[in-house]
């Protein structure tokens, strides 16, 4: 039997939180504070995906005033997003420590701890490439040095800590090679390519040479372990088929490794002359050309495969989730890789490819950003997956 109280309710001096059905903003959450419960590290992929739109625009072989202004605006958006997510992530760890630790121990979600370092590196590079129009070159260099240093150190720590925890974990249930395994491996490669942008701003001599060699070392670190991991991923896909439909967009992460490596080796090769004498500088430039063309051929194959697998998943009712940000940063690295390779080779065709890919990037970013904004307003994206 249900008892109905006949007592007269007392008036509260505080205004109660309206029920979800009566709220417009965050209406799908029980309370606004629930926003911080599930701020997982993969949220930083949105900063990566937004920042790469600005960075890629700066490297295109076209010079349009409106494009430069657009890049500055997107860089500002990425900067604000990075600051906001950093605060939200800190609140998440402070208020929901047990849940945060659960995510950190998860065999898949833990891989995305590679995203925060790459977000720092992406925004830092954008500050130097386009942000200097707003804050000046000296401030831009200082900010980029700071973000590059923090991003590089945390990225190197992640590339070691995450595989170590995977190797030593006692529970091996459900552990299988996934594209997400590349997330903690790619940050050193991003450090290598963004470090190349800093070379002209480092004092000539030993300091510049040391930075160049450190960038090539991080390039090798990320490349070799990345190729091993991509082999495991490809084998897993061929033998076991696609991951769950909602995880299908993560297949694009493989392109991030490919595109970023082409970007790094060409930026470093073109900048090596300021730190090394001949014939070493010319040799590194030639290496960038040969590597870029060879890896670019592999990238064409993986791009086509990623498109086909995405269409396959879309036909099976692929719905929006934060994994859709996997479409953006990898395509952006293909743009920067093609632009760098086109500059090294002098190929108009490769430069044209970079422009076309940038158009694809804009379409992907606009689509994913719109869905994310809509989900943020309703609160849906803050719910656990």
């Amino acid at each position: 039997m249900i008892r109905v109280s006949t007592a007269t309710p007392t008036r509260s001096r505080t205004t109660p939180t309206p029920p979800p059905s009566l709220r417009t903003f965050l209406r799908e959450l029980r309370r606004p504070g629930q926003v911080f419960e599930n701020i997982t590290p993969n949220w930083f992929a949105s900063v990566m995906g937004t920042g790469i739109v600005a960075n890629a625009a700066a490297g295109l072989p076209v010079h349009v005033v409106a494009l430069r202004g657009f890049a500055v605006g997107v860089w500002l958006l990425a900067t604000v997003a990075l600051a906001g997510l950093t605060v939200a992530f800190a609140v998440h760890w402070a208020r929901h420590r047990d849940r945060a630790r659960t995510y950190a121990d998860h065999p898949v979600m833990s891989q995305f701890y590679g995203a925060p370092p790459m977000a720092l590196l992406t925004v830092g590079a954008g500050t130097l490439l386009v942000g200097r129009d707003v804050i000046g070159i000296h401030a831009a260099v200082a900010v980029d040095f700071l973000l590059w240093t923090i991003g590089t150190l945390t990225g190197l720590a992640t590339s070691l800590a995450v595989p170590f925890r995977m190797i030593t974990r006692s529970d091996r249930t459900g552990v299988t090679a996934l594209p997400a395994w590349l997330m903690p491996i790619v940050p050193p490669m991003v450090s290598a390519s963004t470090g190349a942008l800093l070379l002209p701003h480092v004092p000539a001599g030993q300091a510049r040479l040391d930075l160049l060699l450190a960038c090539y070392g991080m390039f090798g670190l990320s490349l070799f372990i990345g190729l091993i991991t991509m082999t495991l991923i490809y084998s897993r896909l061929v033998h076991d088929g696609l991951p769950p439909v909602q995880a299908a967009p993560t297949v694009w992460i493989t392109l991030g490794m490919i595109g970023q490596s082409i970007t790094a080796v060409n930026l470093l090769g073109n900048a090596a002359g300021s730190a090394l004498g001949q014939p070493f500088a010319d040799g590194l430039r030639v290496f960038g050309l040969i590597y870029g063309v060879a890896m670019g051929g592999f990238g064409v194959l993986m791009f086509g495969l990623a498109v086909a697998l995405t269409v396959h998943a879309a036909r099976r009712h692929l719905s929006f989730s934060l994994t859709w940000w996997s479409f953006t940063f990898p395509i952006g690295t293909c743009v920067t890789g093609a632009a760098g390779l086109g500059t090294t080779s002098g190929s108009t065709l490769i430069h044209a490819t970079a422009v076309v890919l940038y158009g694809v990037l804009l379409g992907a970013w606009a689509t994913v950003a719109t869905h994310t904004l809509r989900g943020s307003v309703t609160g849906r994206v803050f719910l656990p997956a």
Side-chain angles (χ1 to χ4, degrees):
M1 182 176 67
I2 301 176
R3 294 183 179 180
V4 179
S5 174
T6 58
T8 302
T10 59
R11 292 190 178 185
S12 174
R13 294 184 180 179
T14 60
T15 302
T17 301
S21 59
L22 299 182
R23 292 201 310 261
T24 300
F25 183 61
L26 301 178
R27 63 176 180 270
E28 296 198 26
L29 302 183
R30 297 189 306 274
R31 62 187 186 285
Q34 194 180 359
V35 164
F36 300 104
E37 291 184 9
N38 301 288
I39 299 296
T40 48
N42 62 334
W43 266 98
F44 286 88
S46 63
V47 179
M48 296 164 54
T50 301
I52 198 69
V53 172
N55 298 0
L60 287 178
V62 293
H63 303 284
V64 180
V65 176
L67 181 61
R68 184 72 178 186
F70 171 75
V72 171
V74 174
W75 165 76
L76 287 171
L77 179 61
T79 303
V80 171
L82 175 62
L85 277 175
T86 300
V87 173
F89 198 56
V91 172
H92 170 69
W93 268 96
R95 293 186 180 179
H96 308 283
R97 190 173 299 273
D98 290 341
R99 183 164 297 189
R101 286 175 175 170
T102 299
Y103 287 135
D105 290 334
H106 193 276
V108 177
M109 187 57 70
S110 62
Q111 308 296 324
F112 287 92
Y113 269 88
M118 288 190 282
L120 290 168
L121 294 166
T122 302
V123 172
T127 304
L128 185 57
L129 289 170
V130 300
R132 62 187 181 187
D133 295 351
V134 178
I135 64 176
I137 184 63
H138 297 295
V141 170
V143 170
D144 190 16
F145 263 117
L146 176 63
L147 295 181
W148 185 85
T149 301
I150 298 173
T152 297
L153 292 177
T154 54
L156 288 171
T158 301
S159 66
L160 175 63
V162 174
F164 174 80
R165 296 196 68 177
M166 292 172 63
I167 293 170
T168 58
R169 68 183 298 125
S170 56
D171 182 12
R172 312 297 300 176
T173 305
V175 176
T176 184
L178 296 171
W181 281 17
L182 288 168
M183 288 298 293
I185 297 171
V186 178
M189 187 68 78
V190 181
S191 292
S193 58
T194 53
L197 301 175
L198 287 169
L199 278 172
H201 305 282
V202 175
Q206 282 297 314
R208 190 175 296 179
L209 176 62
D210 291 343
L211 178 58
L212 176 68
L213 296 179
C215 287
Y216 269 110
M218 289 185 288
F219 165 80
L221 181 160
S222 189
L223 175 65
F224 292 118
I225 192 66
L227 290 176
I228 293 171
T229 304
M230 288 180 68
T231 302
L232 295 174
I233 294 169
Y234 186 83
S235 176
R236 187 262 183 216
L237 290 174
V238 171
H239 287 92
D240 300 331
L242 271 175
V245 171
Q246 288 305 111
T250 60
V251 173
W252 288 82
I253 296 176
T254 57
L255 278 170
M257 180 71 200
I258 296 169
Q260 197 66 61
S261 68
I262 298 174
T263 302
V265 77
N266 279 279
L267 287 178
L268 289 170
N270 291 329
S274 64
L276 285 173
Q278 302 300 339
F280 301 107
D282 285 343
L284 289 175
R285 186 179 174 89
V286 172
F287 171 67
L289 173 62
I290 296 174
Y291 175 89
V293 173
M295 185 59 79
F298 179 48
V300 170
L301 170 65
M302 293 305 297
F303 194 99
L305 184 60
V307 170
L309 293 176
T310 302
V311 172
H312 180 81
R315 291 176 176 174
R316 284 154 180 77
H317 310 292
L318 173 66
S319 59
F320 174 75
S321 67
L322 289 179
T323 59
W324 280 32
W325 282 102
S326 301
F327 295 134
T328 54
F329 188 79
I331 296 177
T333 66
C334 293
V335 177
T336 57
L341 181 59
T343 299
T344 301
S345 63
S347 171
T348 303
L349 176 61
I350 297 178
H351 268 159
T353 301
V355 174
V356 172
L357 286 173
Y358 188 73
V360 176
L361 171 62
L362 285 180
W365 175 73
T367 300
V368 180
T370 300
H371 278 81
T372 303
L373 179 61
R374 185 181 302 141
S376 298
V377 171
T378 63
R380 178 179 293 274
V381 295
F382 300 112
L383 295 172

